[in-house]
Amino acid sequence: MSLPHAILTALLEKPSSGLELTRRFDRSIGYFWSATHQQIYRELRKLEGEGLIRALPSEQPARGQKKAYEVLAAGREELARWTAASQDPKPQRDALLLRLRAAAVVGTEGLEDDLRRHRELHARQLETYREIERRDFPPGRGGAEDRLRHLVLRAGIDLETFWTQWLDHALAEFAELDVRGRE
């Protein structure tokens, strides 16, 4: 249910075409709520049909023209309703953790290399987030909108920090298992 709300948020920040939204998802919202361009276009049609957004009038003929969308009052009200509603946290589901549990009964072959790969991917994502933080949130920038956006980014930084540290710990455990296995 959150993709329509992600789109409403993005359109309230800046009216955009479907293509522009897709690019913005790739650069920001997609770090914590991903969507393909097909999903975005499908949701735009639904939101427009529900009267939550509208295509902005174009001065040129519509054929082949990018449609830009804006949020209507009903869309803003829906986003405010959804934002204020209580939601329970989602249970953790992670295939890597399940594979580690399975390794306890079937063996660890191949898993250590994948842990290293995951560690590298999380370290790269962490560096990407830190670069965004340096670029977009310099010290002293503190309007309410920026502070809330920075809070979202900090969640990403903290999660990637957790994963890199946890994977370092897991790899140390694998090294210990390897040493004990040779004794």
Side-chain angles (χ1 to χ4, degrees):
M1 183 64 173
S2 295
L3 180 56
H5 299 100
I7 291 171
L8 288 170
T9 299
L11 289 175
L12 278 169
E13 291 173 343
K14 181 183 177 198
S16 304
S17 69
L19 179 60
E20 290 165 338
L21 275 175
T22 300
R23 289 178 179 153
R24 288 174 56 210
F25 264 72
D26 289 345
R27 289 189 318 267
S28 63
I29 292 173
Y31 287 123
F32 58 91
W33 198 269
S34 62
T36 66
H37 79 275
Q38 292 93 344
Q39 291 171 314
I40 290 170
Y41 281 99
R42 186 171 41 247
E43 284 302 325
L44 285 170
R45 284 190 298 277
K46 284 183 190 176
L47 291 167
E48 189 175 24
E50 293 168 1
L52 302 178
I53 65 171
R54 74 175 181 121
L56 292 170
S58 175
E59 296 173 10
Q60 299 178 13
R63 192 162 178 81
Q65 176 78 12
K66 289 191 300 188
K67 277 198 233 181
Y69 295 91
E70 69 177 354
V71 177
L72 298 172
R76 181 180 283 277
E77 290 167 11
E78 168 54 23
L79 186 59
R81 183 208 59 77
W82 179 79
T83 300
S86 177
Q87 292 185 347
D88 292 334
K90 298 288 183 210
Q92 175 75 11
R93 288 180 64 164
D94 191 290
L96 180 62
L97 298 177
L98 183 56
R99 290 170 54 219
L100 274 170
R101 178 74 181 251
V105 292
V106 299
T108 62
E109 188 171 336
L111 199 48
E112 186 173 1
D113 289 340
D114 206 35
L115 288 172
R116 289 184 198 290
R117 187 180 69 80
H118 275 253
R119 204 280 179 206
E120 177 58 32
L121 292 170
H122 285 288
R124 272 192 259 151
Q125 191 62 54
L126 177 58
E127 188 49 42
T128 297
Y129 287 159
R130 286 182 173 153
E131 179 55 37
I132 292 169
E133 184 178 44
R134 284 188 292 273
R135 182 191 68 218
D136 295 349
F137 300 100
R141 188 172 172 185
E145 287 181 5
D146 279 340
R147 290 179 68 176
L148 290 172
R149 287 183 187 118
H150 191 201
L151 189 60
V152 172
L153 178 62
R154 283 298 322 169
I157 290 169
D158 291 348
L159 285 169
E160 295 303 333
T161 299
F162 162 78
W163 278 112
T164 55
Q165 291 173 349
W166 182 85
L167 285 159
D168 285 342
H169 177 74
L171 288 164
E173 286 290 325
F174 266 69
E176 180 83 15
L177 292 171
D178 194 35
V179 167
R180 285 188 181 164
R182 286 190 232 136
E183 292 177 350

